[in-house]
Amino acid sequence: MSKVITLHDVSLRKNGNEILKNVNWEVNEGEHWAILGLNGSGKTSLLNIITGYHFATTGEVSVLGNLFGSTNLPELRKEIGYVSSSLERFSQVMDYETVEEIVVSGKFASFGIYEQVSDADWQKAERILTKLRLDYLLRKPYQYLSQGEKRRVLIARALMNDPKILIFDEPCSGLDVLSREEVLLLVQEVVKEQCHVLYVTHHIEEITKEITHVLLLNKGQVVAAGPKEEVVTNQLLSEAFHIPVNIHWENSRPWLTVLNEDIVKKG
C-alpha cells in the first residue's frame, strides 16, 4: 500500500517553543483521517507542514511521494485542496463573484479570476456543482448565499483541480445543525472522487462513517493514531481533552458527553 503522507520524527520549534514534538504519522492510500485536539495542540501547525508553509525543525516529511527539501512545493500544493471557514476573510473579493466564478478560481488557487478561463473550465465547474447537487446556485452572486451554501461552494472550488488530498479545517464552524449535516454529506461525495480526506475538528460527531482513522494530538504530541474505533475512546479522549468524557456510537458516528461538569466550572 502506497504512502500518501509520511511524517518521521517531525518537530517544530518557534521562538523557543516546541509546537510539535517527535510526530510520527502515516496516511496510507484509501484512508481518510480526522485530526482531533484542543486549541494549541498543534493541528494547524501540522497542516502547515503538510502543505509546505512551515518547515519542520527536525524530521522527515513526504507528501504524495514528494520528499520535502527536494520537491517543488508550489506544484505539490496544486494537488492539495483546502476548505476552511477562515477562507471567508476573502469575502470582499468573493462577494462580487458568481458561484461558478468562485468554483473556477480554484483552478488557479486564487480569489478572483486573473487568468484566461477556457470553455472547458466553465463546463467542469458546472459538472462539479451538478455532482454536488449545487447546480441550483448557478449564476447566483456568492454574497447572497447562506453560510452553509458558501461552505459547500468552497468544497466545489477545492475539487476544481482534482486534488489527491483535500483538507477540511473546521469547515462546519459557525454553522447550524442542518447546514453542518449538508456539509458533512459532501465529505461522502469527496471520498467517492478517490480524494484522501484530512478532516480537522473539535467536534467528534463530525467524524462520519467515511472517516476511517483518527489522529489525536495533545500539546504537540501524538496521543494515538489509528482506526477511529481504537482512538475515539473514553480513556484516550479524556486524556487529550483534560476532562472525563463518555463516548457512544450511533450510525457509525461518535458522540461525546462530559461526565463531570464541576471540572468545567473550576477550569
Side-chain angles (χ1 to χ4, degrees):
M1 182 178 293
S2 61
K3 306 297 181 185
V4 179
I5 298 171
T6 302
L7 275 64
H8 180 66
D9 286 339
V10 166
S11 295
L12 177 67
R13 299 182 186 89
K14 283 186 174 181
N15 302 319
N17 297 316
E18 198 162 27
I19 310 300
L20 294 172
K21 306 173 186 177
N22 301 319
V23 172
N24 290 284
W25 180 41
E26 289 185 344
V27 175
N28 295 305
E29 189 172 343
E31 296 176 350
H32 306 283
W33 286 73
I35 302 174
L36 300 179
L38 296 176
N39 288 337
S41 62
K43 301 188 301 296
T44 299
S45 295
L46 185 70
L47 295 183
N48 285 332
I49 285 177
I50 291 169
T51 51
Y53 289 108
H54 286 166
F55 294 101
T57 307
T58 59
E60 184 176 280
V61 178
S62 177
V63 177
L64 298 173
N66 297 275
L67 182 63
F68 283 23
S70 58
T71 192
N72 185 324
L73 288 176
E75 286 300 312
L76 174 61
R77 291 186 191 116
K78 292 179 181 179
E79 300 187 83
I80 303 174
Y82 185 78
V83 177
S84 171
S85 58
S86 66
L87 294 179
E88 290 170 14
R89 67 184 184 274
F90 298 105
S91 62
Q92 287 184 330
V93 175
M94 294 192 292
D95 280 351
Y96 295 97
E97 296 185 314
T98 63
V99 165
E100 53 267 40
E101 287 172 335
I102 297 290
V103 175
V104 164
S105 71
K107 176 182 178 179
F108 311 106
S110 64
F111 290 94
I113 298 175
Y114 309 102
E115 301 182 45
Q116 186 68 34
V117 180
S118 68
D119 290 341
D121 292 333
W122 293 117
Q123 291 165 7
K124 182 176 182 178
E126 290 200 19
R127 285 198 304 272
I128 292 171
L129 288 165
T130 299
K131 180 172 284 190
L132 298 184
R133 297 183 295 279
L134 296 172
D135 47 318
Y136 72 96
L137 296 176
L138 280 167
R139 287 170 283 284
K140 286 191 176 182
Y142 185 78
Q143 63 180 319
Y144 297 129
L145 272 54
S146 70
Q147 287 300 106
E149 288 171 334
K150 288 180 178 179
R151 300 287 170 81
R152 288 185 284 152
V153 167
L154 291 177
I155 293 174
R157 175 184 179 275
L159 292 175
M160 189 67 190
N161 257 349
D162 300 315
K164 295 179 181 177
I165 298 172
L166 182 48
I167 296 172
F168 292 89
D169 187 7
E170 299 187 38
C172 297
S173 176
L175 298 184
D176 60 33
V177 172
L178 175 60
S179 297
R180 179 192 69 182
E181 294 302 311
E182 289 173 336
V183 167
L184 293 177
L185 279 174
L186 291 196
V187 175
Q188 180 178 352
E189 298 299 323
V190 171
V191 169
K192 290 178 182 177
E193 296 298 314
Q194 298 183 341
C195 178
H196 296 87
V197 168
L198 302 182
Y199 192 99
V200 179
T201 182
H202 288 294
H203 305 287
I204 68 167
E205 67 272 15
E206 293 176 17
I207 301 175
T208 59
K209 63 181 181 180
E210 290 75 30
I211 301 297
T212 59
H213 291 67
V214 171
L215 174 68
L216 184 59
L217 297 173
N218 182 28
K219 297 180 180 179
Q221 295 180 296
V222 175
V223 175
K228 61 183 179 183
E229 294 85 356
E230 297 178 10
V231 176
V232 182
T233 66
N234 296 343
Q235 179 180 349
L236 289 174
L237 290 192
S238 295
E239 177 185 345
F241 294 164
H242 308 293
I243 187 171
V245 300
N246 181 67
I247 308 300
H248 70 278
W249 294 79
E250 293 183 17
N251 299 321
S252 299
R253 289 171 65 176
W255 300 79
L256 179 149
T257 302
V258 175
L259 292 181
N260 191 338
E261 294 182 0
D262 289 337
I263 293 179
V264 179
K265 294 175 183 177
K266 292 176 182 177

